Amino acid sequence: MLHITDREMFRAWRNNYCAYTKEESPTNAHRLLLFYAVECGLKALILRHRAKTHTGECEEATSHAHNINGLLDFLRAGAELRIRPDEIKMDSIKSVGGRIVRTVPARDINQMWRYGGNSTEPRDAIVAEKLEQIARWIIGELK
């Protein structure tokens, strides 16, 4: 596992969030940057709360991987910031045996957008708005 310093994590948060906010018509790539910005911001907060200088000293910052809800729960951020529902729906796809219904756990949103998928319920824009809400909370917490 690659260990990241607290300064690198804060810089990743800031750079990814700034890149996301400069786009007027977000694509999956932009939403993915927002997702990673939020993940880095939450991990930066964990490092700060634990008074650690890198992730190698802080299992809590790495044990949740990409699970935004898990990171929020660890920080006791409040249920209103959690991504709901915990499983997001994508269009079903055709298969030899019929149709495959696709659901995405909230911890795998990054995979959906990374591989070009889109959510149908809730829509991508609603998921991104929730991530923006979390980002605004992170900004307040980092002050």
Side-chain angles (χ1 to χ4, degrees):
M1 165 170 267
L2 178 67
H3 295 299
I4 304 298
T5 69
D6 54 345
R7 289 179 188 214
E8 290 167 330
M9 195 67 77
F10 280 104
R11 189 172 40 249
W13 145 252
R14 185 180 62 244
N15 291 344
N16 288 337
Y17 188 64
C18 285
Y20 170 77
T21 59
K22 290 181 181 175
E23 180 58 34
E24 292 181 24
S25 300
T27 64
N28 277 3
H30 295 97
R31 286 186 284 270
L32 192 55
L33 282 175
L34 174 62
F35 179 91
Y36 286 128
V38 167
E39 179 184 343
C40 290
L42 293 172
K43 289 179 178 183
L45 286 174
I46 290 171
L47 288 169
R48 178 180 280 177
H49 288 307
R50 291 289 192 226
K52 302 297 182 183
T53 59
H54 62 83
T55 56
E57 300 176 332
C58 187
E59 182 183 338
E60 299 89 350
T62 59
S63 63
H64 293 286
H66 304 292
N67 187 347
I68 300 297
N69 284 345
L71 294 165
L72 288 167
D73 290 346
F74 180 81
L75 288 166
R76 296 188 176 132
E80 69 279 356
L81 289 177
R82 287 179 57 85
I83 297 171
R84 300 275 186 210
D86 288 325
E87 287 195 344
I88 294 164
K89 293 179 181 13
M90 292 177 64
D91 284 331
S92 59
I93 55 177
K94 293 179 188 177
S95 177
V96 175
R99 297 199 67 77
I100 298 172
V101 176
R102 298 185 295 170
T103 58
V104 181
R107 69 180 179 274
D108 292 335
I109 293 168
N110 60 323
Q111 289 184 54
M112 174 180 66
W113 287 335
R114 182 173 64 223
Y115 297 125
N118 295 97
S119 63
T120 57
E121 186 58 38
R123 294 296 223 182
D124 286 330
I126 293 169
V127 177
E129 174 54 39
K130 178 53 74 171
L131 290 170
E132 288 178 38
Q133 181 185 1
I134 297 166
R136 290 188 296 271
W137 178 81
I138 291 169
I139 290 168
E141 292 294 307
L142 289 175
K143 289 185 180 183

